[in-house]
Structure formats: structure tokens, C-alpha cells
Amino acid sequence: MSALELRDVVVDYEGRGGRVRAVAGATVSVEAGRIVGLVGESGCGKSTLARAAVGLVPAASGTIAFEGREVRPLTRRARPADLVRLQLVFQNPYSSLNPRRTAGSQVGDGIRSRARSARVRELFEIVGLASAAASRYPHEFSGGQRQRIAIARALAADPSVIVLDEPLASLDASAQAQFANLLTSLARELGVGMLLISHDLAIVRHVADEVSVMYLGRIVERAETLPLWTQPAHPYSEALIAAVPRPDGEGVLPHSLPGEVPDPTNPPSGCRFHPRCPYAFERCRVEDPALVPLAGGRSAACWLQQQDAPPANLGQARGVK
Ligand code: SF4
């Protein structure tokens, strides 16, 4: 059993243009010590799914379970005892830190033992900050350091899973790389499972053990990170990978992902990706492919992969060398 399991989760909200299905049936699970990346363009529903995972927004249907117990929408500010070990870290930690309290006192909020100050110092060191920094105020830290404080505060609850919503988005490249290394070591050394939400596939590639790719409210591919990166099974995954800049300056293929993300209040018929897909054929416009298991333990929602003789890879199917 996975520590965090989301099955067929649907999340709706009332937008200006009417009811929006932000998440249209997503299944994701996170095991101890594993980092699961959830990637997609902004507006694809990944942050909404993260919030539903920790009970901050209600699911219209589907199930969300943490350590075998159903996660219900939170009705109070305080997290119920059985959800304390499921923590959420936001994109901008400054907004969730009280500017008038020292960083150490805020990290210590969740610690009940008498050895609290020793534990706070230890947590500062675990996240790569000097223990003496516990007496400083949030504005005295850089963005990357504040994000480490947010992780230390989450670790104070002895979590088995941390959901991180775009934790790297506000950091510069060097702070991103250091923070990514921290996440990897926390997963390996403390056995914490992580659901890492990011629009940045380049970072997720270096950190995550497996990746789920989300498009317009749906998971369209799920795979271990390396196979996804080297041989994506879904055209949308391929396009996201093609758009990641390479160190040699190559790699941004503007033609690979034409058009805008469609209006989620009125998603396209058939496969939701078909108006932007270079491989689309007639069936794609009328029938919606389900996410189905493929060889090698991966899953994809694409008719191309569900033909009698699926192509070895997408590039070959398109004649791209
Ligand atoms: Fe493209 Fe069709 Fe696959 Fe959708 S089902 S991703 S439109 S080939």
C-alpha cells in the first residue's frame, strides 16, 4: 500500500465562465522514500490536485487515502492528528511564514517534546542551514533559505509524505539545484515520500523517481523518469521534453507544441490533446483514450499506443530522426 493514494480524483470549481473541471479523474500514488513528479503546463490542474491530496479542496468524486485513511476536506485551520504526517509546502514560503516570529520558533510549532529547541537546531542542520540561524527572522533569509525553513517546518511533523507545490519556481538556477539535491537526500535518508508539482520538467527529471504528466485535468502518461525522458509514450510528454533547453542551446522546438492550452470549461472532444497533437488522426477527434498500462510498467492515454502494432517510439512514427 502506498502512503498517499489518489484514485480517479475529480475536482470542480466555479470559475468566471462557469463550472470548471480542474481535475478530470487522476490517479497518483506516492510511496515512502520515492519522489513522484507531477508535471504539466500552468492551468493543467496539477496544483488543484495537490491541494485536494492534502484536503485543502474537496474532491467531487474519487478517493484520496493517506496511510490507509480517507483524506477528508479540512474544515478547521489545524490539521487533524491522522493527517499531521502529510505535509504541504507552498511555492512562496514567505507568505506562509510569520514575519514577526523567528524562523526557529515557527519550525518548533509542531514539536511537542521537551527537547524542542534541540530538535529545531537539528532540523536546521538537516535542511542545510546553520543551527544559529534559528534565532533570525524570515526577512533575513534568501528565497532558497526560506524554502529550506518551510521544509524544516514540514519535517518537524515527522512526515511520511510531503506534497510540494512548485517549490522551485521562485528560486534562481543555483538555489534550484541545491534545493533539488536536498529533496533527493531527504527522500533517500529519511524515507520521506514526495509529490513534487512542477511545470519544469528539467528539474523534475533530476529529482523524481517517476513522473506523471498532466494535461487539461488528466494524467496522460505515467512512467519511471528515465524511460519517460528517453522514450516518451505520449505526444504531450514528447513535446514537453522537446521544449526543455539543452546545455548546448539546442532543444527548444517551438513547433513541437503548437497552440494554447484549450479552455477548460469547454475541453475538446475525443482526446483533449488532439488540437495540438502532430500525430492526431480521425479516432482522436471523437474517442477519448483512457490511461492504460503499457509494457515496462508505464501507462499512457494515447490511441497511438493502443493500436495493434504500436510504434517503437513517437519520433519514428512522425519520421523524425
Ligand atoms: Fe495525439 Fe491521438 Fe494520441 Fe491524443 S490519442 S495524443 S491526439 S495521437
Side-chain angles (χ1 to χ4, degrees):
M1 184 185 69
S2 299
L4 177 64
E5 285 205 45
L6 291 84
R7 295 246 161 265
D8 300 321
V9 170
V10 172
V11 184
D12 295 332
Y13 69 88
E14 288 301 329
R16 267 178 291 173
R19 182 172 277 271
V20 178
R21 179 140 291 183
V23 179
T27 294
V28 177
S29 59
V30 183
E31 290 168 28
R34 299 241 323 155
I35 301 181
V36 177
L38 183 61
V39 301
E41 290 162 287
S42 96
C44 71
K46 57 191 189 306
S47 289
T48 304
L49 186 60
R51 287 168 173 270
V54 297
L56 287 180
V57 296
S61 63
T63 59
I64 303 172
F66 174 64
E67 295 185 329
R69 294 206 182 95
E70 185 185 351
V71 175
R72 295 176 184 279
L74 301 180
T75 51
R76 295 172 289 121
R77 224 177 125 70
R79 299 182 71 69
D82 56 358
L83 280 192
V84 164
R85 281 164 50 79
L86 174 62
Q87 288 285 311
L88 176 69
V89 170
F90 292 100
Q91 173 177 346
N92 179 3
Y94 204 48
S95 61
S96 60
L97 290 170
N98 183 335
R100 294 193 190 83
R101 294 179 58 206
T102 64
S105 71
Q106 296 185 65
V107 168
D109 277 343
I111 302 171
R112 296 280 162 258
S113 87
R114 280 195 292 166
R116 180 168 162 168
S117 53
R119 178 67 177 146
V120 167
R121 286 197 297 276
E122 183 185 30
L123 287 170
F124 267 65
E125 282 167 13
I126 287 172
V127 300
L129 294 170
S131 57
S135 60
R136 285 160 46 190
Y137 289 84
H139 73 270
E140 298 178 77
F141 294 92
S142 68
Q145 289 171 328
R146 281 197 288 268
Q147 199 58 290
R148 287 166 187 266
I149 295 167
I151 293 284
R153 193 169 53 173
L155 291 175
D158 191 22
S160 59
V161 175
I162 304 178
V163 177
L164 301 116
D165 187 10
E166 296 278 7
L168 303 142
S170 59
L171 308 183
D172 63 31
S174 120
Q176 277 187 348
Q178 290 171 9
F179 191 72
N181 289 340
L182 172 65
L183 297 184
T184 311
S185 66
L186 292 178
R188 301 290 172 273
E189 288 161 26
L190 302 182
V192 181
M194 298 188 196
L195 180 60
L196 173 63
I197 316 298
S198 179
H199 67 280
D200 189 340
L201 190 51
I203 290 280
V204 169
R205 176 201 170 199
H206 287 293
V207 178
D209 298 292
E210 65 174 75
V211 179
S212 286
V213 180
M214 201 164 179
Y215 185 76
L216 216 58
R218 295 267 172 84
I219 306 286
V220 296
E221 182 166 2
R222 193 214 67 76
E224 296 286 306
T225 304
L226 187 61
L228 180 96
W229 183 260
T230 53
Q231 201 175 60
H234 194 283
Y236 181 59
S237 313
E238 183 192 50
L240 285 182
I241 291 164
V244 172
R246 306 285 189 263
D248 56 8
E250 297 276 313
V252 180
L253 302 177
H255 65 273
S256 62
L257 194 52
E260 301 288 319
V261 178
D263 177 3
T265 59
N266 185 22
S269 61
C271 171
R272 293 171 169 223
F273 189 55
H274 88 253
R276 305 172 81 190
C277 181
Y279 306 95
F281 55 104
E282 195 45 44
R283 186 180 190 184
C284 308
R285 294 177 185 86
V286 286
E287 286 185 72
D288 190 7
L291 185 73
V292 297
L294 306 174
R298 69 197 327 184
S299 308
C302 173
W303 291 126
L304 271 184
Q305 302 292 358
Q306 298 174 35
Q307 308 292 311
D308 289 340
N313 70 50
L314 294 173
Q316 281 173 14
R318 198 160 38 138
V320 176
K321 295 271 188 306

